[in-house]
Amino acid sequence: MLARATGRAELLADVTRTLTDTLEADEAVERLAQILVPRLGDWCVVTQVDGRLVDEPLVDRTWRRRLHDVGWWHVDPAKRPSWSSTPRSASPPSPTPR
């Protein structure tokens, strides 16, 4: 339990340091995705919401148009170029076998 708590604290410290090291939002988001992979998964996509989503997404059928992927990263360098050219409605590349 202590090891998990320490790991979470280290991740939080790394994320905080990364986000405060730059004033450029695009750069911060890119760095965030790189920190989270492979610590939390094989890939990461950071999606920004433009405007405010209504409480009931089914009522407002345009809500998906306000979602924009602004950062991404894949653990496998060979799959990064393919993901950068993939439409964002598609799934990310399949995980790398370990």
Side-chain angles (χ1 to χ4, degrees), residues 31-74:
R31 290 180 185 180
L32 174 63
Q34 291 175 15
I35 286 175
L36 297 177
V37 174
R39 291 166 108 170
L40 297 180
D42 287 343
W43 57 272
C44 172
V45 176
V46 180
T47 303
Q48 172 183 327
V49 178
D50 289 340
R52 180 178 172 273
L53 293 178
V54 295
D55 295 331
E56 291 289 328
L58 296 178
V59 173
D60 179 6
R61 303 215 181 258
T62 66
W63 67 271
R64 284 193 175 124
R65 287 185 232 155
R66 294 194 305 271
L67 302 178
H68 303 282
D69 294 339
V70 293
W72 62 272
W73 196 251
H74 197 285

Side-chain angles (χ1 to χ4, degrees), residues 79-92:
K79 293 186 179 181
R80 290 178 198 150
S82 66
W83 179 235
S84 67
S85 62
T86 302
R88 294 304 182 243
S89 59
S91 299

Side-chain angles (χ1 to χ4, degrees), residues 2-18 35 39:
L2 182 59
R4 284 181 58 183
T6 301
R8 286 192 303 264
E10 289 173 354
L11 178 59
L12 181 59
D14 287 348
V15 167
T16 301
R17 184 173 36 258
T18 296
I35 286 175
R39 291 166 108 170

